[in-house]
Amino acid sequence: MTHDTETLLVSRPAQGVLWLTMNRPAQRNALDRTLGEELLRALESAETDPQARVVVLTGAGSAFCGGDDLGAVDEHLAGDRRNSPVLGDTADPVYLRIVEAIVTAPQPVIAAVNGPAAGAGTELACAADLRIASDTARIGSCLVNVAQTGTAVMLPRIVGTAKATEIYLSGGLLDAADAERLGIYTRVVPSGELQDAVLAEARRLAAGPTRAIGLYKQLRERVYGQPLEQALRIQNGFHIRNNREVHDAVEGARAFLEKRSPEFTGR
């Protein structure tokens, strides 16, 4: 099943897997308003789609996402905001809302980093729960090169503030091996094997207790930065909620006691 637009390709290559491909290869999949709005709509629609138990985000061609479309940004600064990567209803940058949608998605999100990611594209990749990358997929900020600020939210959550500052100030891109060493990439595979590796991981997650995974993601955000005592009590509250709301929790316990593989439904 596909539902393609000019700038976003949407497919379901396996049961439970929703695959989103940013499709502006000539612009290195940079975000303009059209792509940003289409990607945001697709992510928001997936929130209530029971068939989307895992979401994969990738780019067409040789790049993952080069960040905001600088041509559209230049037009915005000149007063023409028709293509600006900013939402008309709230004036929020589209990347900001996409990052929020990825982080709060009720299912696991995998970034299949097929090529370079920079600026807002790096924030999108770092917002995902897993990042599986091609061995040619470099990543960094590059914003200092165009006198812009950013990549100070999601990237530091992975590498820490000091290393994120170093990456920003360098103006360059890390190669895939360094990004994997720093934990930015979960795993690096040969470029020709990326799609198969990502699909295998997506299938594994789609067969898992995705409702519990969604609750874990909520818990992760709630406890982030909280004092220990408060964080532990929030975690305990989510543990109680999990036992009350997640049908797979019963199946998981029974399968463990019966020494068999669980059959999760994602409920």
Side-chain angles (χ1 to χ4, degrees):
M1 176 182 177
T2 62
H3 178 67
D4 298 344
T5 65
E6 184 177 346
T7 59
L8 184 70
L9 308 180
V10 181
S11 64
R12 299 178 188 267
Q15 184 174 354
V17 179
L18 178 66
W19 195 288
L20 306 177
T21 303
M22 296 175 282
N23 188 39
R24 301 185 74 215
Q27 295 80 26
R28 302 177 72 78
N29 302 313
L31 296 172
D32 64 354
R33 179 175 293 185
T34 300
L35 173 56
E37 288 182 341
E38 288 176 352
L39 180 53
L40 181 59
R41 279 195 296 269
L43 289 166
E44 290 176 340
S45 177
E47 292 178 4
T48 55
D49 182 355
Q51 302 306 313
R53 292 177 64 177
V54 175
V55 176
V56 175
L57 177 62
T58 194
S62 61
F64 176 74
C65 177
D68 288 331
D69 186 312
L70 291 184
V73 171
D74 186 55
E75 292 172 359
H76 175 98
L77 295 174
D80 182 355
R81 303 188 175 185
R82 289 172 295 176
N83 297 319
S84 174
V86 174
L87 296 173
D89 58 343
T90 63
D92 283 339
V94 288
Y95 92 87
L96 181 156
R97 294 278 293 278
I98 294 167
V99 165
E100 289 178 335
I102 293 170
V103 171
T104 62
Q107 62 275 97
V109 178
I110 303 173
V113 190
N114 55 301
T122 293
E123 293 284 86
L124 264 60
C126 291
D129 301 300
L130 298 174
R131 289 158 297 282
I132 302 176
S134 159
D135 55 9
T136 61
R138 298 182 298 154
I139 191 167
S141 174
C142 298
L143 293 176
V144 73
N145 299 331
V146 290
Q148 290 292 329
T149 189
T151 55
V153 178
M154 302 310 301
L155 181 60
R157 292 180 74 167
I158 298 173
V159 301
T161 301
K163 180 56 70 172
T165 302
E166 179 185 330
I167 292 169
Y168 169 79
L169 292 176
S170 76
L173 296 174
L174 299 167
D175 64 27
D178 284 341
E180 183 179 30
R181 178 177 55 82
L182 290 171
I184 299 174
Y185 291 158
T186 310
R187 178 157 46 111
V188 172
V189 299
S191 57
E193 300 175 13
L194 179 63
Q195 183 168 338
D196 288 344
V198 172
L199 186 56
E201 182 65 11
R203 287 177 184 270
R204 183 187 73 82
L205 290 171
T210 47
R211 174 74 175 118
I213 293 171
L215 280 180
Y216 167 79
K217 292 181 64 172
Q218 291 183 40
L219 169 61
R220 179 190 67 197
E221 298 308 305
R222 286 284 303 278
V223 301
Y224 185 76
Q226 293 288 341
L228 174 64
E229 183 178 359
Q230 181 69 12
L232 286 171
R233 279 154 181 76
I234 293 172
Q235 178 167 272
N236 187 59
F238 269 78
H239 180 68
I240 294 169
R241 182 180 169 189
N242 191 97
N243 286 337
R244 288 175 177 171
E245 297 181 11
V246 178
H247 294 272
D248 281 337
V250 174
E251 166 63 8
R254 286 177 177 169
F256 178 81
L257 293 172
E258 295 169 5
K259 296 180 173 55
R260 61 175 174 82
S261 298
E263 296 182 5
F264 295 126
T265 63
R267 296 186 300 118

